[in-house]
Amino acid sequence: MRSVPIAALSLVLAFSAVYVSVDAKSVRPIKPARLGLCAACHGESGIAQLPEVPNLAGQRLDYLRKALKDYRDGSRKVAVMHAAVAPLSRADLDALARWYSGQDSASRNKVKPMDKSKP
């Protein structure tokens, strides 16, 4: 009878150890429902296709959260960004920041900027 609680406790401890040992970088964020408008300029994976648009892949989470909040409340004055994020909730902004910070920044070097000299 005593072996059942000990076995159960062992299982709980084993699963806890596995959960704790998971590296936070290895857990991919969930694709946000509001990604579409951002992806139009910054790319779904955070690699912009236009040279004047910044890449967001792999940026620090706290930086992206603050930047999005500042665009939304008007502290950072970029009209297109304000228009894009003004209607979004705090949870939406957090989901976007988590998504882009969790993307692979190594692929930044693989994307070549568009050549503006070609018609």
Side-chain angles (χ1 to χ4, degrees), residues 24 46 48 102 110:
K110 296 177 186 172

Side-chain angles (χ1 to χ4, degrees), residues 37-116:
L37 188 57
C38 301
C41 296
H42 296 284
E44 187 171 302
S45 65
I47 307 301
Q49 298 299 311
L50 301 172
E52 63 273 2
V53 176
N55 291 327
L56 301 180
Q59 288 283 355
R60 288 189 352 255
L61 177 60
D62 59 335
Y63 169 79
L64 289 174
R65 279 183 179 144
K66 172 124 177 58
L68 287 169
K69 179 190 166 297
D70 290 349
Y71 286 128
R72 187 181 65 185
D73 70 18
S75 301
R76 288 180 89 166
K77 301 200 182 303
V78 178
V80 70
M81 286 299 299
H82 177 72
V85 299
L88 301 181
S89 69
R90 185 176 181 181
D92 290 333
L93 297 182
D94 186 61
L96 290 166
R98 286 184 182 282
W99 173 258
Y100 281 123
S101 70
Q103 299 305 303
D104 182 17
S105 62
S107 59
R108 286 184 195 186
N109 298 330
K110 296 177 186 172
V111 176
K112 295 180 182 175
M114 291 175 47
D115 185 357
K116 289 186 176 181

